[in-house]
Amino acid sequence: MCVCVLVRGSAIAKIIGHNVKASNRFDPMVKMWVYEEMIDGRKLTEIINTEHENVKYLPGHKMPKNVVAVPDVTEATSGADFLIFVIPHQFIGKICDQMKPHVKPGAIGVSLIKGIDEGPDGLTLISNIIRSKLEIEVSVLMGANIASEVAEEKFCETTIGATNESNGKIFKELLQTPNFRITVVKESDTVELCGALKNIVAVGAGFCDGLGFGDNTKAAVIRLGLMEMVAFSKLFCKSSAVNSATFLESCGVADLITTCYGGRNRRVAEAFARSSSLCSLMCASSVINPQTQSFCWFPLFVSVYQICFEGRQVKEFISCLQNHPEHM
């Protein structure tokens, strides 16, 4: 069975490359689609295939020789039984359209893409875009997984959300290592929402750092943000069951803490709070507009949105904490 990784997922491709070599269940060659770029006069795919290192996105880490970089997404996709999606969310629709005629019948996918798309019909999970365009079953993987630390084989945990239990087991076999421990749960939508919503909370944590509020305030942001994540997920999933225990998995509280202390959104928000620089604001664009579906009763989410996009003063962020309801 063949595996295709749609990158920027070199750290994951490294894991998969080692795992398929040690298994008699999977084809030993992993095709990794790479957007072709020129690096010092050489094609990035050529560098990866000769030096076995993604010098742009994962420098300093050698990749297994059975991971082959392919510049054509249709060639990479053709014949693959397993599709691993690790690309910026804004490109997923276009890439799926290119892939569609070449997707093997019966192929399954897993998305590592964190984010939610906003379209004419409201908010849409990235996994649902993949499902609708490619007509395949899609699981999701989310967790406290900083790519460089995963590549360095530092211990971490992650969560696979798979409504199809057998698919979850396959992806766990394909991806798990002694230092990359995976838990599989059925609440796929909840797992995916965690990966997106924690970015909003991380922006709030960055505001706290930039304003010098201290660790006590930041802890309150994390707790209240987690409350809103749970409430938002229950509202978004409507009739679907949302198990609160899922938020105690790596996709939930662990990823939230990691992002609120070390993530890019936190760093950008801190810089914005210190300088009020509009250029610093751009990286916070992954924040969901809470007004899209009248989610205006989420004080922290709404406050972050208003500061980022409506000109509200960042110093007013504290008011959303002071007036936050004790229970939701």
mmCIF file of all heavy atoms in Angstrom, residues 269-295:
data_model
loop_
_atom_site.group_PDB
_atom_site.id
_atom_site.type_symbol
_atom_site.label_atom_id
_atom_site.label_comp_id
_atom_site.label_asym_id
_atom_site.label_seq_id
_atom_site.Cartn_x
_atom_site.Cartn_y
_atom_site.Cartn_z
ATOM 1 N N ALA A 269 1.123 38.296 18.461
ATOM 2 C CA ALA A 269 0.227 39.101 19.286
ATOM 3 C C ALA A 269 1.006 39.884 20.341
ATOM 4 O O ALA A 269 0.655 41.025 20.657
ATOM 5 C CB ALA A 269 -0.814 38.206 19.951
ATOM 6 N N GLU A 270 2.052 39.290 20.887
ATOM 7 C CA GLU A 270 2.884 40.002 21.850
ATOM 8 C C GLU A 270 3.537 41.217 21.186
ATOM 9 O O GLU A 270 3.552 42.326 21.748
ATOM 10 C CB GLU A 270 3.958 39.088 22.420
ATOM 11 C CG GLU A 270 4.881 39.798 23.415
ATOM 12 C CD GLU A 270 5.997 38.906 23.940
ATOM 13 O OE1 GLU A 270 6.178 37.783 23.413
ATOM 14 O OE2 GLU A 270 6.684 39.336 24.879
ATOM 15 N N ALA A 271 4.072 41.016 19.982
ATOM 16 C CA ALA A 271 4.706 42.119 19.263
ATOM 17 C C ALA A 271 3.703 43.221 18.959
ATOM 18 O O ALA A 271 4.008 44.419 19.067
ATOM 19 C CB ALA A 271 5.339 41.601 17.976
ATOM 20 N N PHE A 272 2.493 42.812 18.590
ATOM 21 C CA PHE A 272 1.445 43.798 18.302
ATOM 22 C C PHE A 272 1.091 44.605 19.550
ATOM 23 O O PHE A 272 0.941 45.825 19.500
ATOM 24 C CB PHE A 272 0.208 43.093 17.759
ATOM 25 C CG PHE A 272 -0.975 44.002 17.609
ATOM 26 C CD1 PHE A 272 -1.001 44.960 16.613
ATOM 27 C CD2 PHE A 272 -2.064 43.899 18.461
ATOM 28 C CE1 PHE A 272 -2.094 45.807 16.468
ATOM 29 C CE2 PHE A 272 -3.152 44.739 18.334
ATOM 30 C CZ PHE A 272 -3.174 45.694 17.330
ATOM 31 N N ALA A 273 0.959 43.910 20.691
ATOM 32 C CA ALA A 273 0.596 44.593 21.931
ATOM 33 C C ALA A 273 1.681 45.577 22.363
ATOM 34 O O ALA A 273 1.392 46.614 22.964
ATOM 35 C CB ALA A 273 0.336 43.575 23.030
ATOM 36 N N ARG A 274 2.916 45.249 22.043
ATOM 37 C CA ARG A 274 4.026 46.134 22.435
ATOM 38 C C ARG A 274 4.160 47.334 21.493
ATOM 39 O O ARG A 274 4.537 48.424 21.936
ATOM 40 C CB ARG A 274 5.344 45.348 22.433
ATOM 41 C CG ARG A 274 5.439 44.291 23.524
ATOM 42 C CD ARG A 274 6.823 43.675 23.555
ATOM 43 N NE ARG A 274 6.895 42.542 24.458
ATOM 44 C CZ ARG A 274 7.041 42.642 25.783
ATOM 45 N NH1 ARG A 274 7.117 43.834 26.338
ATOM 46 N NH2 ARG A 274 7.098 41.563 26.532
ATOM 47 N N SER A 275 3.843 47.143 20.217
ATOM 48 C CA SER A 275 4.128 48.202 19.245
ATOM 49 C C SER A 275 2.913 48.721 18.502
ATOM 50 O O SER A 275 2.986 49.744 17.840
ATOM 51 C CB SER A 275 5.133 47.681 18.211
ATOM 52 O OG SER A 275 4.537 46.635 17.446
ATOM 53 N N SER A 276 1.772 47.971 18.593
ATOM 54 C CA SER A 276 0.570 48.305 17.825
ATOM 55 C C SER A 276 0.868 48.410 16.333
ATOM 56 O O SER A 276 0.275 49.205 15.606
ATOM 57 C CB SER A 276 -0.061 49.613 18.322
ATOM 58 O OG SER A 276 -0.528 49.453 19.637
ATOM 59 N N SER A 277 1.820 47.601 15.877
ATOM 60 C CA SER A 277 2.204 47.612 14.471
ATOM 61 C C SER A 277 1.218 46.800 13.652
ATOM 62 O O SER A 277 0.977 45.627 13.931
ATOM 63 C CB SER A 277 3.612 47.024 14.310
ATOM 64 O OG SER A 277 3.900 46.808 12.948
ATOM 65 N N LEU A 278 0.642 47.418 12.628
ATOM 66 C CA LEU A 278 -0.333 46.711 11.806
ATOM 67 C C LEU A 278 0.288 45.560 11.043
ATOM 68 O O LEU A 278 -0.356 44.554 10.793
ATOM 69 C CB LEU A 278 -0.995 47.688 10.822
ATOM 70 C CG LEU A 278 -1.955 48.706 11.450
ATOM 71 C CD1 LEU A 278 -2.475 49.642 10.372
ATOM 72 C CD2 LEU A 278 -3.118 48.002 12.128
ATOM 73 N N CYS A 279 1.569 45.701 10.678
ATOM 74 C CA CYS A 279 2.204 44.609 9.932
ATOM 75 C C CYS A 279 2.326 43.374 10.813
ATOM 76 O O CYS A 279 2.309 42.250 10.325
ATOM 77 C CB CYS A 279 3.569 45.030 9.399
ATOM 78 S SG CYS A 279 4.793 45.388 10.661
ATOM 79 N N SER A 280 2.457 43.575 12.122
ATOM 80 C CA SER A 280 2.523 42.434 13.031
ATOM 81 C C SER A 280 1.189 41.722 13.129
ATOM 82 O O SER A 280 1.117 40.573 13.536
ATOM 83 C CB SER A 280 2.958 42.893 14.434
ATOM 84 O OG SER A 280 4.253 43.413 14.417
ATOM 85 N N LEU A 281 0.133 42.440 12.762
ATOM 86 C CA LEU A 281 -1.207 41.895 12.912
ATOM 87 C C LEU A 281 -1.525 40.824 11.886
ATOM 88 O O LEU A 281 -2.373 39.976 12.117
ATOM 89 C CB LEU A 281 -2.203 43.051 12.776
ATOM 90 C CG LEU A 281 -3.669 42.847 13.129
ATOM 91 C CD1 LEU A 281 -3.801 42.435 14.567
ATOM 92 C CD2 LEU A 281 -4.433 44.126 12.874
ATOM 93 N N MET A 282 -0.832 40.836 10.751
ATOM 94 C CA MET A 282 -1.212 39.989 9.643
ATOM 95 C C MET A 282 -1.184 38.510 9.971
ATOM 96 O O MET A 282 -2.002 37.747 9.493
ATOM 97 C CB MET A 282 -0.319 40.273 8.436
ATOM 98 C CG MET A 282 -0.419 41.702 7.909
ATOM 99 S SD MET A 282 -2.114 42.194 7.575
ATOM 100 C CE MET A 282 -2.481 41.117 6.190
ATOM 101 N N CYS A 283 -0.236 38.079 10.794
ATOM 102 C CA CYS A 283 -0.128 36.657 11.104
ATOM 103 C C CYS A 283 -1.243 36.167 12.008
ATOM 104 O O CYS A 283 -1.348 34.973 12.276
ATOM 105 C CB CYS A 283 1.227 36.356 11.735
ATOM 106 S SG CYS A 283 2.583 36.457 10.564
ATOM 107 N N ALA A 284 -2.056 37.083 12.527
ATOM 108 C CA ALA A 284 -3.193 36.675 13.349
ATOM 109 C C ALA A 284 -4.424 36.415 12.494
ATOM 110 O O ALA A 284 -5.518 36.264 13.008
ATOM 111 C CB ALA A 284 -3.505 37.755 14.384
ATOM 112 N N SER A 285 -4.257 36.338 11.178
ATOM 113 C CA SER A 285 -5.391 36.206 10.276
ATOM 114 C C SER A 285 -6.098 34.860 10.396
ATOM 115 O O SER A 285 -7.172 34.680 9.841
ATOM 116 C CB SER A 285 -4.937 36.411 8.830
ATOM 117 O OG SER A 285 -3.972 35.451 8.465
ATOM 118 N N SER A 286 -5.501 33.913 11.121
ATOM 119 C CA SER A 286 -6.159 32.620 11.303
ATOM 120 C C SER A 286 -7.281 32.695 12.330
ATOM 121 O O SER A 286 -8.006 31.729 12.526
ATOM 122 C CB SER A 286 -5.145 31.571 11.748
ATOM 123 O OG SER A 286 -4.575 31.932 12.986
ATOM 124 N N VAL A 287 -7.436 33.850 12.990
ATOM 125 C CA VAL A 287 -8.501 34.007 13.966
ATOM 126 C C VAL A 287 -9.849 33.954 13.259
ATOM 127 O O VAL A 287 -10.067 34.608 12.256
ATOM 128 C CB VAL A 287 -8.366 35.345 14.720
ATOM 129 C CG1 VAL A 287 -9.546 35.568 15.642
ATOM 130 C CG2 VAL A 287 -7.076 35.369 15.506
ATOM 131 N N ILE A 288 -10.756 33.178 13.810
ATOM 132 C CA ILE A 288 -12.083 33.047 13.226
ATOM 133 C C ILE A 288 -12.909 34.282 13.551
ATOM 134 O O ILE A 288 -12.873 34.786 14.665
ATOM 135 C CB ILE A 288 -12.790 31.802 13.801
ATOM 136 C CG1 ILE A 288 -11.996 30.551 13.459
ATOM 137 C CG2 ILE A 288 -14.212 31.694 13.327
ATOM 138 C CD1 ILE A 288 -12.446 29.341 14.213
ATOM 139 N N ASN A 289 -13.651 34.766 12.578
ATOM 140 C CA ASN A 289 -14.577 35.860 12.816
ATOM 141 C C ASN A 289 -15.761 35.332 13.613
ATOM 142 O O ASN A 289 -16.589 34.598 13.083
ATOM 143 C CB ASN A 289 -15.059 36.421 11.478
ATOM 144 C CG ASN A 289 -16.058 37.544 11.648
ATOM 145 O OD1 ASN A 289 -16.507 37.838 12.748
ATOM 146 N ND2 ASN A 289 -16.403 38.171 10.540
ATOM 147 N N PRO A 290 -15.868 35.663 14.891
ATOM 148 C CA PRO A 290 -16.947 35.086 15.698
ATOM 149 C C PRO A 290 -18.313 35.619 15.313
ATOM 150 O O PRO A 290 -19.316 35.075 15.743
ATOM 151 C CB PRO A 290 -16.574 35.528 17.118
ATOM 152 C CG PRO A 290 -15.798 36.776 16.932
ATOM 153 C CD PRO A 290 -15.043 36.599 15.638
ATOM 154 N N GLN A 291 -18.360 36.661 14.492
ATOM 155 C CA GLN A 291 -19.643 37.212 14.098
ATOM 156 C C GLN A 291 -20.226 36.490 12.890
ATOM 157 O O GLN A 291 -21.373 36.721 12.523
ATOM 158 C CB GLN A 291 -19.491 38.706 13.798
ATOM 159 C CG GLN A 291 -19.048 39.503 15.017
ATOM 160 C CD GLN A 291 -18.862 40.978 14.719
ATOM 161 O OE1 GLN A 291 -19.004 41.405 13.576
ATOM 162 N NE2 GLN A 291 -18.534 41.758 15.725
ATOM 163 N N THR A 292 -19.436 35.613 12.279
ATOM 164 C CA THR A 292 -19.894 34.941 11.067
ATOM 165 C C THR A 292 -21.209 34.223 11.296
ATOM 166 O O THR A 292 -22.104 34.254 10.477
ATOM 167 C CB THR A 292 -18.838 33.932 10.586
ATOM 168 O OG1 THR A 292 -17.628 34.636 10.332
ATOM 169 C CG2 THR A 292 -19.291 33.246 9.315
ATOM 170 N N GLN A 293 -21.315 33.518 12.400
ATOM 171 C CA GLN A 293 -22.539 32.787 12.684
ATOM 172 C C GLN A 293 -23.123 33.238 14.029
ATOM 173 O O GLN A 293 -23.652 32.456 14.794
ATOM 174 C CB GLN A 293 -22.269 31.277 12.697
ATOM 175 C CG GLN A 293 -21.821 30.757 11.340
ATOM 176 C CD GLN A 293 -21.628 29.250 11.331
ATOM 177 O OE1 GLN A 293 -21.899 28.568 12.302
ATOM 178 N NE2 GLN A 293 -21.144 28.731 10.224
ATOM 179 N N SER A 294 -22.997 34.518 14.301
ATOM 180 C CA SER A 294 -23.558 35.121 15.516
ATOM 181 C C SER A 294 -23.012 34.494 16.786
ATOM 182 O O SER A 294 -23.731 34.268 17.753
ATOM 183 C CB SER A 294 -25.094 35.022 15.495
ATOM 184 O OG SER A 294 -25.617 35.688 14.378
ATOM 185 N N PHE A 295 -21.717 34.226 16.805
ATOM 186 C CA PHE A 295 -21.090 33.663 17.994
ATOM 187 C C PHE A 295 -20.609 34.784 18.927
ATOM 188 O O PHE A 295 -19.507 34.736 19.445
ATOM 189 C CB PHE A 295 -19.912 32.769 17.594
ATOM 190 C CG PHE A 295 -20.316 31.533 16.858
ATOM 191 C CD1 PHE A 295 -19.549 31.068 15.811
ATOM 192 C CD2 PHE A 295 -21.470 30.842 17.196
ATOM 193 C CE1 PHE A 295 -19.918 29.924 15.121
ATOM 194 C CE2 PHE A 295 -21.840 29.705 16.509
ATOM 195 C CZ PHE A 295 -21.070 29.245 15.463
#
